[in-house]
């Protein structure tokens, strides 16, 4: 059997995963890029192949995939990079542009594929699903991703669609410009005046500190 390509993998994604996403809150299901709109939140699920360069460096097969989830909160202005806009004017953020992000993890035993890797860290990775170059295990992988989405991903998305819970999560992150930036807009949106002032102050202080490093 020859090498499998993206179209064959996409077909299996559409058969196995897409219906589950549609049934569970995703409105725009585009195979590898999926979105759901919930009031101020946009759910994102991206499936990305590791690609040839990563494959050459690490030993993972180029078609192997990782799955990223994100929630984009539309009251936080994008800090860097424009958010793609769809034909109906809807925002189509990528997972890495979301203010909260999560990766799904593989629970299939993959050591028979990875134990020959040079790098022990790559051998231990469980945030990538190995896809056989001939695609022999593609259905197993997609069923596993589906289960991981249902048991972990969906729970996470629902939990952090609650803005108060999401704000608490952001506040628990280690102090950084990024944290203060997100928290400032969350506090404003949630009408928490005290925290709004606090995070405006911290953000300004951090901005000055960073500017000082480059002046």
């Amino acid at each position: 059997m020859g090498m499998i390509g993206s179209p064959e993998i996409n077909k299996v994604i559409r058969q196995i995963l897409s219906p589950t996403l549609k049934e569970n809150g995703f409105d725009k299901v585009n195979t590898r890029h999926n979105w759901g709109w919930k009031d101020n939140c946009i759910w994102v699920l991206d499936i990305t192949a590791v690609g040839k360069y990563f494959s050459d460096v690490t030993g993972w097969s180029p078609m192997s995939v990782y799955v990223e989830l994100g929630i984009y909160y539309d009251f936080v202005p994008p800090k860097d990079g424009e958010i793609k806009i769809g034909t109906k004017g809807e925002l189509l953020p990528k997972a890495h542009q979301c203010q909260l992000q999560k990766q799904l993890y593989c629970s299939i035993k993959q050591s028979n594929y990875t134990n020959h890797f040079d790098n022990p860290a790559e051998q231990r990775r469980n945030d990538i699903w190995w896809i056989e170059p001939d695609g022999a295990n593609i259905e197993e992988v997609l069923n596993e991703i589906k289960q991981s989405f249902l048991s972990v991903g969906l729970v996470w998305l629902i939990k952090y669609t609650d803005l108060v819970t999401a704000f608490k999560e952001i506040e628990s992150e280690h102090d950084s410009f990024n944290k203060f930036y997100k928290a400032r807009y969350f506090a404003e949106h949630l009408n928490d005046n005290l925290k709004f002032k606090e995070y405006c102050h911290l953000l300004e202080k951090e901005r000055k500190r960073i500017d000082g490093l480059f002046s």
Side-chain angles (χ1 to χ4, degrees):
M1 201 173 166
M3 291 276 284
I4 193 170
S6 292
E8 292 93 336
I9 295 174
N10 288 347
K11 194 176 159 193
V12 182
I13 293 175
R14 285 194 290 272
Q15 283 166 351
I16 294 175
L17 185 64
S18 296
T20 300
L21 297 181
K22 282 177 187 158
E23 285 160 19
N24 289 284
F26 281 82
D27 307 301
K28 189 179 177 82
V29 175
N30 276 8
T31 314
R32 290 178 188 246
H33 302 288
N34 307 279
W35 297 272
W37 290 274
K38 315 265 171 269
D39 299 323
N40 291 111
C41 304
I42 304 170
W43 291 6
V44 183
L45 185 145
D46 286 340
I47 302 172
T48 310
V50 299
K52 186 175 181 326
Y53 175 76
F54 184 88
S55 172
D56 290 345
V57 172
T58 61
W60 286 90
S61 72
M63 288 295 174
S64 297
V65 294
Y66 56 95
V67 183
E68 298 170 294
L69 294 172
I71 302 179
Y72 185 87
Y73 301 91
D74 66 5
F75 50 84
V76 182
K79 203 158 80 301
D80 33 33
E82 285 302 301
I83 303 295
K84 194 178 158 192
I85 294 174
T87 49
K88 299 187 186 81
E90 74 280 30
L91 292 173
L92 301 171
K94 293 191 164 68
H96 68 80
Q97 293 176 308
C98 292
Q99 294 90 358
L100 286 183
Q101 300 169 22
K102 181 173 182 62
Q103 274 205 278
L104 290 184
Y105 292 100
C106 172
S107 56
I108 301 172
K109 195 166 176 290
Q110 303 189 110
S111 53
N112 51 328
Y113 303 125
T114 60
N115 57 15
H116 67 278
F117 291 175
D118 297 334
N119 183 338
E122 290 298 334
Q123 290 178 14
R124 289 192 299 272
R125 279 185 90 138
N126 64 344
D127 58 342
I128 298 175
W129 278 266
W130 176 282
I131 292 180
E132 290 273 32
D134 67 0
N137 68 333
I138 180 71
E139 288 192 7
E140 182 194 9
V141 165
L142 262 303
N143 276 307
E144 226 277 312
I145 289 172
K146 179 171 103 171
Q147 284 314 315
S148 182
F149 166 73
L150 287 170
S151 59
V152 179
L154 185 59
V155 177
W156 181 84
L157 288 166
I158 291 167
K159 180 178 179 181
Y160 291 111
T161 297
D162 178 76
L163 299 183
V164 174
T165 308
F167 186 28
K168 279 187 186 138
E169 179 67 13
I170 287 163
E171 288 197 284
S172 75
E173 293 173 4
H174 69 262
D175 287 354
S176 68
F177 183 86
N178 195 27
K179 169 188 168 171
F180 300 149
Y181 181 87
K182 293 186 288 191
R184 172 225 179 279
Y185 286 101
F186 261 85
E188 183 177 31
H189 186 78
L190 294 168
N191 296 316
D192 189 331
N193 211 14
L194 209 63
K195 283 193 170 163
F196 173 66
K197 283 179 180 159
E198 179 195 344
Y199 284 115
C200 281
H201 171 70
L202 288 167
L203 188 61
E204 195 45 43
K205 210 169 116 183
E206 183 63 5
R207 199 191 301 272
K208 282 181 178 152
R209 187 189 72 80
I210 292 167
D211 287 348
L213 298 175
F214 297 101
S215 59

